[in-house]
Amino acid sequence: MPYPSHTEPIPDPCPQPGVLLARGVCRALADRGLAPLTEVTVPDGLRMDVCALAGDGMIWCVEVKSSRADFLSDRKWEGYRAWCDRLFFAVPEGFPQEILPADAGLMRADQFDAAILREAPEHRLAPARRKALTLRLARLAASRLLQAQQSLC
């Protein structure tokens, strides 16, 4: 078996904190009956950390923030409201919650689970946008499933 060249990236055995938090968020959302996907890019180029489709067609967005610096370093999440019915922040234990916007939901997360501390207010999407995003989520999920199946063979 050939040795990898020095230019090939070495896989990170320890995922970044945000990835671990997103894993716990996805588990919690699935337990609530939602179908979550991570790293969802919407048509305007924004990429949601977690986007989940509920059984009633509601679309939830969860922005994962692992630290105060992570939250203060970007404000892209403000654009996510246009692509979801409910916007949440998911943060770890000890995160300074007072810096988060009060008009978004709040989850406390770790790599295993998440708990909703504050429900997100509902901002209903327009029907055409809901349909477009639902189709995008379905196609993304199908594509990822196919990719996963092909990697097994």
Side-chain angles (χ1 to χ4, degrees):
M1 178 173 181
Y3 291 101
S5 76
H6 68 282
T7 59
E8 292 178 7
I10 298 171
D12 185 355
C14 302
Q16 296 297 314
V19 172
L20 295 174
L21 294 174
R23 183 182 301 162
V25 167
C26 287
R27 288 175 177 165
L29 293 174
D31 287 347
R32 291 176 70 104
L34 285 88
L37 288 170
T38 58
E39 302 293 326
V40 175
T41 303
V42 293
D44 62 7
L46 294 173
R47 189 178 68 232
M48 298 179 190
D49 293 330
V50 179
C51 186
L53 183 61
D56 62 0
M58 294 279 289
I59 297 173
W60 292 19
C61 172
V62 183
E63 176 68 355
V64 175
K65 293 298 177 192
S66 59
S67 67
R68 178 187 184 94
D70 183 19
F71 176 75
L72 296 175
S73 69
D74 86 69
R75 307 273 310 177
K76 295 181 299 238
W77 56 266
E78 293 172 336
Y80 300 156
R81 290 187 195 277
W83 296 100
C84 63
D85 296 299
R86 293 178 178 232
L87 174 64
F88 288 86
F89 283 91
V91 299
E93 181 77 36
F95 186 96
Q97 297 173 18
E98 65 277 0
I99 68 173
L100 298 171
D103 63 342
L106 177 61
M107 296 181 183
R108 178 171 297 130
D110 61 25
Q111 66 183 342
F112 303 107
D113 200 5
I116 294 178
L117 303 181
R118 180 176 65 229
E119 286 290 342
E122 189 176 302
H123 306 280
R124 302 283 299 183
L125 289 172
R129 180 160 285 197
R130 177 182 312 288
K131 179 180 178 182
L133 187 53
T134 300
L135 289 173
R136 180 179 284 265
L137 294 173
R139 291 181 54 81
L140 178 61
S143 174
R144 288 183 182 175
L145 179 59
L146 179 61
Q147 189 176 31
Q149 289 172 335
Q150 289 177 343
S151 70
L152 296 176
C153 300

